[in-house]
Amino acid sequence: MAGESATFMLCEAKRGNQPDQVSSRSHRHLSESEPDLGPNLKSFSRLCSRSEAERVAALEELTQCVMVQLGPDRPDSPRLSKQTLVHLLRLSLSCPLPEVRERAAELLRNAQERGVEVPRALASGPSAFIPAKEMLKEGPDQEVLMEAFLSLGRMDHITMVMALHPAYLSCFLRTQHALLELDGPLPRPWRHYIAIMAAARHQCSYVVQQHSAGFLEAGGEESWLGGLENAPAKLRSLQTLNKLLAHRPWLITQQHIQELVCPGAESRWSLAELIHAVVLMAHAHSLASFVWGCGLNPEPDHTGGYAFHPPSPNHLPHSPHSPAHEDGRQELVDGGMEVEVLMKRMVELQQQEEECTQEEMLTRFERERSESIPTAVVRGAPPDLVLHLVEDPEFIYEDFAPRGEQAPPTMRAQDYSWEDHGYSLVNRLLPDMGQLLDEKFQVVSNMTYHRMAMHEGVDTYTLRKALWNYIHCLYGIRYDDYDYGGVNVLLERSLKVFVKTMACHPEQTTTRIYHAFWRRFRHSEKVHANLIVMEARLQAALLYTLRAITHYMR
């Protein structure tokens, strides 16, 4: 991240002036018409300064401003605004600067002692699947967290979990910044709105709320967030491509591209605009997979992330990302044996000298592609927060090749690949984006710590390759030179259930599915698997769309 950080995205304070989405309005500081009393935006933004002296001065200014609002000489005046209180809550929980974190907590205590009802977080830690103390024990790099906070102006849960893998986090932030903030064919508000439309396909209120804030900060029209019908026709015209990208990208054809970009098309898209939109949608779809797959809790300033009321003993808070009381860890048995068996199989595959015929390799691919893998319980209707942003919510993932049905033609990687075709097309129409995506794919594919569970000095290449190729197999992409027998050898059934759920219908991911696979592995290793799923899914969706664009351009 060094050298690039000064160009990253948003600052904490920018999020403080957004319309609130929580309905509670029972106290004075929650009034709809109330001015934003207390610290102004600059007070919060200066806490993100790279100058320590500037941060110290900003912290003192913040403290004085809050204490003035809480002073005894203002008994009949409105107290601190809701935005200010939620800002303080977030800083008290996640700021990597201890002096800021402790001061924010102290100010909230002072406010509570003076009769102000303060918010409390409804979740403990960034993830419902990974205990906060275990995340700290596995050691997210504090330097990386500090850099992300100073660059982004906030420490969100995505960053905190990805920080378990600093090299990947750096690539992710660079790519996301370029997509959302750097010069490009699409206006900034449109970029966020496209991401909102995409995340809503997977009922991911976390990503929807993140980009809703970004959309408003960029000057977006608030009414658009009330429903797709309020957005411009040009944005609405992406809906068919959006749902195919999210759920069945192999159905995308050049006809879909032609309908959007041909000169006679209503609300015509240029190819550069369309590539930008496609990468944004695929990015948001895959990020939704990561959010669900890691069980990320709502941010303290998200709907469902905080409350102004004391907890009820009969309604203990739980993450909306997993059903209450569904804790698969209670059913775990000693997983030490499965680690030994997996290591033995990896070594055997690496030493295997027998070569299969092309016919046998094709048979193994077809067997893997058509294998019936059950998934989790189907969730109910999408939450209200995202339902009005989804067109045709009944359109969901279906297996590429259901048993007994005629499958669409398989995409052979030798005929259309990222390295030989997709990379250059993206770079040509959206300069530098191909390079950024390629770097991210390379980092996540090659990232290794030479360890597995309790073992050190392990070559995990075959396992990482099997994960990547299995996800592409689910999407109907075949590598002629890969023996898919290795997938069945290395990926036990509970891992396949998790991977397929996360890649194909992530909104169905549950705590039980997360804890059922790799039972003796570190959580950081499971997060690594999530990153592989996220990026392999992203590349697969891009390949189908880029192939359709290539055919249109011929």
Side-chain angles (χ1 to χ4, degrees):
M1 243 184 272
E4 309 238 12
S5 57
T7 64
F8 280 161
M9 312 181 215
L10 310 170
C11 202
E12 170 93 9
K14 293 182 182 178
R15 301 189 180 269
N17 60 351
Q18 302 311 325
D20 181 65
Q21 300 181 40
V22 178
S23 59
S24 175
R25 291 288 185 264
S26 59
H27 294 267
R28 288 184 298 173
H29 59 274
L30 305 185
S31 168
E32 286 283 2
S33 59
E34 147 193 302
D36 191 4
L37 301 173
N40 58 29
L41 301 183
K42 189 175 180 182
S43 301
F44 283 106
S45 67
R46 289 171 60 208
L47 293 174
C48 310
S49 171
R50 293 184 175 276
S51 165
E52 183 177 357
E54 177 78 2
R55 293 199 304 269
V56 169
L59 190 57
E60 291 308 313
E61 178 185 309
L62 172 66
T63 301
Q64 291 177 20
C65 197
V66 169
M67 295 310 294
V68 165
Q69 289 298 320
L70 296 175
D73 57 333
R74 302 173 64 94
D76 298 321
S77 300
R79 299 288 184 99
L80 295 170
S81 72
K82 184 175 187 178
Q83 283 92 349
T84 295
L85 290 167
V86 173
H87 268 309
L88 291 172
L89 175 64
R90 173 150 32 105
L91 288 171
S92 72
L93 294 172
S94 62
C95 180
L97 296 163
E99 64 276 14
V100 175
R101 190 171 62 246
E102 292 163 9
R103 183 68 61 85
E106 180 184 346
L107 291 172
L108 286 173
R109 284 194 299 271
N110 287 336
Q112 190 171 34
E113 289 168 359
R114 286 164 171 76
V116 175
E117 192 172 51
V118 301
R120 62 176 182 84
L122 291 180
S124 173
S127 168
F129 298 169
I130 309 172
K133 62 181 181 181
E134 293 191 34
M135 269 199 65
L136 292 173
K137 184 171 63 178
E138 294 196 31
D141 191 306
Q142 289 303 309
E143 186 176 336
V144 170
L145 293 179
M146 176 76 74
E147 181 60 41
F149 176 76
L150 297 178
S151 302
L152 301 172
R154 60 181 291 153
M155 180 61 59
D156 62 26
H157 293 166
I158 290 174
T159 301
M160 293 173 74
V161 175
M162 284 187 182
L164 290 167
H165 301 284
Y168 176 82
L169 175 61
S170 179
C171 292
F172 173 84
L173 291 176
R174 281 197 296 272
T175 305
Q176 184 168 260
H177 172 64
L179 275 174
L180 296 172
E181 303 298 323
L182 295 187
D183 289 343
L186 293 177
R188 281 187 62 216
W190 281 41
R191 303 180 196 190
H192 287 286
Y193 198 79
I194 289 168
I196 291 168
M197 292 165 56
R201 292 288 338 166
H202 287 308
Q203 306 178 26
C204 189
S205 59
Y206 181 103
V207 176
V208 167
Q209 290 191 75
Q210 291 282 70
H211 283 286
S212 294
F215 171 75
L216 293 171
E217 290 160 9
E221 178 60 50
E222 187 176 355
S223 64
W224 296 10
L225 299 178
L228 293 172
E229 66 278 5
N230 300 322
K234 184 171 178 176
L235 280 173
R236 296 200 307 272
S237 70
L238 289 175
Q239 283 295 73
T240 297
L241 191 58
N242 181 28
K243 71 180 184 182
L244 291 175
L245 258 176
H247 306 297
R248 303 175 213 169
W250 52 86
L251 298 180
I252 296 172
T253 67
Q254 71 181 78
Q255 181 64 33
H256 294 110
I257 307 303
Q258 183 173 340
E259 289 172 358
L260 292 168
V261 303
C262 72
E266 183 183 357
S267 306
R268 176 178 179 267
W269 290 77
S270 71
L271 278 175
E273 288 174 330
L274 185 59
I275 283 283
H276 197 173
V278 164
V279 177
L280 279 165
M281 287 187 287
H283 172 83
H285 295 150
S286 63
L287 187 57
S289 281
F290 181 81
V291 168
W292 286 110
C294 291
L296 295 194
N297 289 316
E299 295 292 325
D301 58 345
H302 280 183
T303 297
Y306 70 94
F308 280 88
H309 302 293
S312 164
N314 296 324
H315 297 86
L316 297 176
H318 62 273
S319 168
H321 301 283
S322 65
H325 311 305
E326 185 187 320
D327 191 346
R329 286 171 294 179
Q330 296 176 359
E331 301 178 5
L332 294 187
V333 295
D334 182 9
M337 184 60 68
E338 72 176 3
V339 177
E340 302 300 331
V341 170
L342 179 55
M343 287 190 62
K344 181 180 177 182
R345 290 175 175 177
M346 288 168 59
V347 171
E348 289 173 350
L349 276 178
Q350 290 166 349
Q351 295 175 346
Q352 183 175 308
E353 296 181 359
E354 175 189 358
E355 290 191 10
C356 296
T357 64
Q358 279 296 316
E359 290 76 12
E360 176 61 23
M361 291 174 75
L362 176 58
T363 299
R364 292 178 179 181
F365 169 80
E366 295 294 346
R367 185 185 303 132
E368 206 60 56
R369 185 180 71 167
S370 60
E371 182 183 15
S372 177
I373 298 292
T375 54
V377 294
V378 178
R379 293 177 180 273
D384 292 341
L385 185 66
V386 301
L387 183 59
H388 59 286
L389 297 167
V390 178
E391 181 182 274
D392 191 10
E394 291 77 23
F395 187 91
I396 59 174
Y397 172 85
E398 289 184 357
D399 285 345
F400 178 83
R403 284 184 180 274
E405 296 185 22
Q406 182 66 38
T410 297
M411 176 188 279
R412 296 174 67 246
Q414 281 69 19
D415 295 336
Y416 199 93
S417 69
W418 169 256
E419 293 80 8
D420 296 333
H421 308 91
Y423 169 85
S424 57
L425 178 59
V426 173
N427 246 14
R428 187 168 121 208
L429 294 174
L430 197 62
D432 299 327
M433 184 50 62
Q435 179 63 39
L436 288 166
L437 289 169
D438 189 64
E439 180 184 3
K440 194 153 56 83
F441 295 148
Q442 292 294 329
V443 166
V444 81
S445 298
N446 298 325
M447 189 166 62
T448 181
Y449 303 93
H450 302 289
R451 69 185 181 213
M452 199 169 77
M454 69 291 290
H455 297 279
E456 301 288 340
V458 181
D459 182 357
T460 61
Y461 171 78
T462 54
L463 181 57
R464 287 180 277 121
K465 187 71 171 175
L467 268 173
W468 184 279
N469 286 355
Y470 176 60
I471 295 146
H472 278 200
C473 176
L474 292 174
Y475 278 77
I477 298 174
R478 178 187 166 220
Y479 295 86
D480 287 348
D481 57 353
Y482 182 75
D483 180 2
Y484 287 85
V487 169
N488 219 33
V489 170
L490 298 180
L491 308 189
E492 41 92 14
R493 193 166 182 81
S494 61
L495 175 56
K496 285 184 175 181
V497 169
F498 174 81
V499 168
K500 183 175 181 180
T501 303
M502 183 183 164
C504 303
H505 25 72
E507 60 278 4
Q508 295 184 17
T509 308
T510 65
T511 311
R512 187 183 302 277
I513 292 176
Y514 176 86
H515 286 295
F517 79 97
W518 286 2
R519 293 167 290 182
R520 290 291 296 273
F521 283 60
R522 298 172 177 89
H523 286 288
S524 60
E525 292 172 304
K526 290 193 172 190
V527 172
H528 187 179
N530 285 352
L531 294 175
I532 292 173
V533 175
M534 171 183 173
E535 293 299 333
R537 177 202 168 154
L538 170 64
Q539 189 183 95
L542 286 178
L543 284 174
Y544 280 110
T545 316
L546 295 173
R547 183 180 67 172
I549 292 174
T550 299
H551 289 167
Y552 168 79
M553 293 172 66
R554 285 175 179 166

